[in-house]
Amino acid sequence: MNDAHLHLLVNHFPIIGTIFGFGILLTGIIFKNKTIKNVSYVLFIVAAVFAALSMFTGEGAEELVEDMPSIGKQIIHEHEELAEKLAVLLYLLGAVSLFGLYTNSKNHSKASLTSYVVMIIATISIILAKSVGTSGGEIRHTEIRINAPQTNANETNDND
């Protein structure tokens, strides 16, 4: 198993975990349920850990694919720049989520405010995660690139 494979194994959870965590946190806020909020905080912390793993394996994955046809260093560089921003945001989200676990466990007066701060950070993270995921997909899936050649569905295949 090489770094590209490892990167593909771990890079989806920061995005999906943040989306699920957002939904769970929203549910916890609506129902004013600390346990549900705590579940979302744990998901955000795990997403931050997986973000670190994604960053760790990303460099090795880059080395393996950057010289492949139809890839190029520019598209990887764009993905890397976005991923670095997302990683920092997810580290912050994980740290604030740790604080949220603490405030909930101590029935601290800042527990409710913390859940709203986490919700704001998670929202921004999801927006950025969409760009990171798309740019990562574009590395090997040239068909989803903005400048991908469009084919007519009515065209017939010459090999038929």
Side-chain angles (χ1 to χ4, degrees):
M1 187 176 305
N2 60 32
D3 281 345
H5 190 198
L6 290 172
H7 187 67
L8 290 170
L9 286 174
V10 299
N11 71 7
H12 294 89
F13 192 83
I15 297 170
I16 294 170
T18 303
I19 293 169
F20 281 132
F22 175 88
I24 293 168
L25 180 58
L26 182 61
T27 303
I29 289 172
I30 290 169
F31 290 107
K32 296 177 180 21
N33 185 310
K34 287 192 311 185
T35 303
I36 295 173
K37 290 179 189 178
N38 286 343
V39 169
S40 73
Y41 294 152
V42 170
L43 270 173
F44 292 139
I45 293 164
V46 173
V49 170
F50 272 80
L53 291 171
S54 293
M55 294 303 294
F56 181 74
T57 58
E59 193 66 37
E62 176 183 6
E63 297 299 319
L64 289 168
V65 301
E66 69 185 347
D67 293 323
M68 289 179 151
S70 303
I71 299 215
K73 295 179 182 181
Q74 181 60 34
I75 195 163
I76 294 173
H77 178 72
E78 290 171 15
H79 174 64
E80 183 178 13
E81 291 295 315
L82 289 169
E84 287 170 353
K85 290 178 178 97
L86 178 61
V88 169
L89 205 51
L90 291 179
Y91 301 154
L92 174 65
L93 181 60
V96 178
S97 294
L98 274 172
F99 183 72
L101 284 173
Y102 172 78
T103 59
N104 274 346
S105 70
K106 300 294 183 185
N107 292 319
H108 195 278
S109 62
K110 300 283 187 210
S112 181
L113 174 64
T114 302
S115 65
Y116 289 106
V117 170
V118 169
M119 181 66 83
I120 291 167
I121 298 168
T123 301
I124 297 166
S125 297
I126 290 169
I127 293 166
L128 184 56
K130 185 265 179 208
S131 297
V132 172
T134 299
S135 68
E138 288 174 347
I139 291 171
R140 289 293 287 159
H141 294 279
T142 57
E143 72 277 7
I144 66 170
R145 293 182 188 169
I146 291 173
N147 59 355
Q150 299 295 315
T151 59
N152 186 343
N154 295 327
E155 290 178 9
T156 59
N157 189 344
D158 292 336
N159 296 330
D160 287 339

